[in-house]
């Protein structure tokens, strides 16, 4: 695997982990899904310049997610009804939500 | 685009700071979760018992009322709530210059969202103020020569109320009716325009039923007749593509908190070529081109700009996601529950606003039954009174259907699981309420409800 591809994968893993750190259900699910869709679009992209731009955007987004994940953990404590309901939210992260 | 301060620290220092933060927050969250009383929480007086730290909240499906603050928007706002606290109108020091630069960037971000020039954007305290300024301002400026205003029956309360105030001042107002789908008739609009018409105000996306008006055609008609076209774009900006030049829009109101931005800020687009003149409502030091005096709330404005930039970038993605959820919701409910009517023309509707009427079920009782879902019936503005919504009445819906309408508002952060939960709950509760309803029983037996002669007691 080329260095470019391994770099993308490393960023993808960090972004997914940062997304999972949100305390708020809605934000957690959104950022997880968004990261997945963003990186899959990047993986399909052939143009190297567009990939470079997308990577820069993804890195900036990762920083934001990390900072906001911390802030979210500090201030957000409420749970949503759906989080405790096993029928709807198994707790395991899903890309399609 | 979103934050410059951390870049200054450098990547490695950044990572160290963040990892240190993680360790500290883990300790912080555990202390918070064990009933320790926060000493400096000014929202709760010291000494009073503080309730349990976390409560279980319902699923949020009320995106037309307000939207959660996107964490990326909060990230953009934080510097301006902590250290960059200068007044953007202070011209003599760095605090002022930095804040002014940020406000200019926000102005550009909002202008790019709607295809305008940054100089045409005025910051206000919200879409209500923008609507008031545009309608009252334009009408009063051109009072000598023009005294007629055209609007529609399904507008937001602030527009209808501004028109009522203008009527008391001596203006004439025509309220255009809408058809059963909620769309205004363009021929009626053409017929209603007089030589003395100053302004036409039609909202882009209705907040109760989600109907999208044909802005391009309306703009063309107004342009041909040299009448100013104002549109309330609070529910439309950032959700559907808007271009003020393509659509010949002269004035547009935008609301911050409908765009996943902060509450308390909005924008008003006022065209400069050809120039739209208006009398300001709030006068003072002449800020914001003299149209809206007062210190521009820099942190809120920066947040709104970031939200606008984000919406412009994510418009297609959000639209696809919300359309998918909307189809899932409507198909799910309509396949499992009978006698459900969707209010609004399905061909011209924003998918994120689903307004359904359930026959033989009272709206308020269904809302109370769905206590685990945060919904609304009618609009938040009129929820204080017990009258059925005027928008649904304007659609021609009968009183019983107007009373039994529920509005589901889907947003960027809504998930499929939440939609599934809502569909199952709606099915269960609607069936339960119908089982209790004598009208439903009569309907099942084949009696036509409308043919009943109700006796007076």
């Amino acid at each position: 695997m080329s260095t470019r591809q391994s770099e993308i994968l490393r960023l993808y893993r960090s972004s997914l982990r940062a997304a999972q750190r949100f305390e708020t259900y809605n934000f957690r699910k959104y950022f997880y899904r968004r990261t997945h869709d963003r990186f899959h679009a990047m993986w399909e992209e052939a143009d190297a310049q567009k990939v470079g731009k997308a990577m820069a955007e993804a890195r900036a987004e990762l920083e934001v997610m990390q900072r906001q994940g911390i802030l979210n953990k500090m201030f957000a404590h409420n749970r949503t009804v759906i989080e405790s309901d096993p029928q709807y939210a198994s707790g395991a992260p899903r890309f399609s939500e | 685009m979103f934050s410059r301060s951390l870049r200054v620290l450098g990547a490695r220092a950044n990572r160290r700071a963040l990892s240190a933060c993680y360790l500290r927050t883990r300790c912080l969250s555990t202390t918070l979760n064990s009933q320790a009383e926060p000493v400096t929480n000014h929202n709760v007086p010291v000494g009073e018992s503080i309730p349990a730290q976390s409560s279980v909240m319902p699923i949020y499906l009320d995106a037309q009322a307000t939207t959660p603050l996107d964490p990326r928007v909060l990230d953009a706002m934080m510097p301006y709530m902590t250290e960059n606290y200068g007044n953007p109108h202070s011209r003599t020091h760095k605090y002022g210059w930095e804040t002014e630069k940020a406000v200019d960037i926000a102005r550009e971000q909002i202008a790019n969202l709607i295809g305008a020039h940054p100089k045409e954007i005025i910051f206000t305290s919200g879409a209500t103020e923008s609507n008031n300024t545009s309608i009252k301002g334009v009408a009063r400026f051109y009072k000598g020569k023009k005294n007629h205003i055209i609007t529609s029956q399904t507008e937001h309360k602030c527009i209808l109320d501004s028109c009522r105030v203008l009527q008391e001042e001596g203006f004439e107002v025509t309220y255009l009716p809408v058809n059963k789908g909620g769309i205004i008739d363009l021929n009626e609009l053409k017929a209603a325009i007089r030589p003395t018409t100053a302004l036409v105000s039609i909202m882009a996306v209705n907040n109760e039923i989600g109907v999208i008006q044909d802005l391009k055609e309306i703009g063309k008609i107004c342009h041909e007749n040299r009448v100013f076209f104002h549109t309330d774009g609070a529910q439309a900006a950032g959700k559907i593509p808007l271009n003020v030049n393509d659509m010949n829009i002269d004035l547009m109101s935008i609301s911050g908190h409908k765009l996943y931005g902060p509450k308390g800020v909005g924008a008003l687009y006022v065209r400069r070529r050809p120039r739209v003149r208006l009398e300001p409502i709030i006068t003072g030091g002449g800020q914001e081109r003299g149209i809206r005096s007062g210190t521009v709330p820099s942190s809120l404005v920066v947040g709104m700009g970031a939200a606008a930039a984000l919406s412009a970038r994510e418009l297609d993605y959000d639209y696809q996601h919300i359309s998918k959820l909307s189809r899932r919701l409507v198909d799910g409910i309509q396949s499992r529950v009978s006698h459900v009517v969707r209010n609004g023309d399905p061909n011209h509707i924003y998918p994120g606003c689903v307004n359904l009427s359930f026959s033989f079920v009272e709206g308020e009782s269904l809302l109370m039954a769905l206590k685990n879902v945060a919904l609304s019936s009618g609009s938040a503005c009129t929820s204080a009174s017990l009258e059925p919504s005027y928008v649904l009445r304007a659609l021609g819906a009968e009183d019983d259907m107007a009373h039994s309408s529920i509005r589901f508002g889907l947003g960027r952060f809504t998930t499929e699981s939440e939609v599934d939960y809502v569909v199952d709950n709606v099915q269960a509760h609607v069936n339960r309420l119908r089982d209790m309803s004598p009208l439903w029983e009569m309907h099942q037996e084949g009696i036509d409800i409308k043919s009943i002669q109700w006796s007076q007691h």
Side-chain angles (χ1 to χ4, degrees), chain A residues 21 25-27 30 33-34 37 61 66-68 70 74 77-82 88 96-97, chain B residues 6 18 22 54-57 69 71-72 74-75 313-314 317 321 412-413 415 417-418 421 424:
Chain A
R21 287 217 175 91
Y25 169 81
N26 288 96
F27 293 155
Y30 169 76
R33 172 174 47 90
R34 188 71 189 96
D37 293 339
E61 192 94 348
Q66 284 171 334
R67 279 196 297 269
Q68 291 307 311
I70 296 170
M74 284 197 269
H77 304 296
N78 292 334
R79 296 260 166 277
T80 329
V81 163
I82 207 170
Y88 299 99
S96 60
E97 263 175 318
Chain B
L6 264 176
L18 281 168
Y22 277 134
S54 71
S55 55
V56 181
M57 299 290 279
L69 190 64
R72 296 168 282 190
L74 179 59
D75 198 76
R313 202 180 72 181
E314 307 268 314
Y317 183 82
H321 177 69
R412 182 187 288 168
F413 298 108
T415 64
S417 310
E418 290 180 327
Y421 184 94
D424 291 341

Side-chain angles (χ1 to χ4, degrees), chain B residues 417-437:
Chain B
S417 310
E418 290 180 327
V419 168
D420 291 339
Y421 184 94
V422 169
V423 168
D424 291 341
N425 264 269
V426 163
Q427 176 193 10
H429 288 290
V430 166
N431 288 334
R432 186 180 61 88
L433 286 168
R434 279 183 179 163
D435 283 340
M436 288 195 276
S437 160

Side-chain angles (χ1 to χ4, degrees), chain B residues 257-275:
Chain B
H257 70 110
K258 306 279 165 50
L259 266 185
Y260 308 93
K263 292 180 191 48
V265 68
L268 174 62
Y269 158 74
V270 183
R271 184 178 278 279
R272 278 171 78 237
R273 293 219 178 91
R275 190 174 285 268

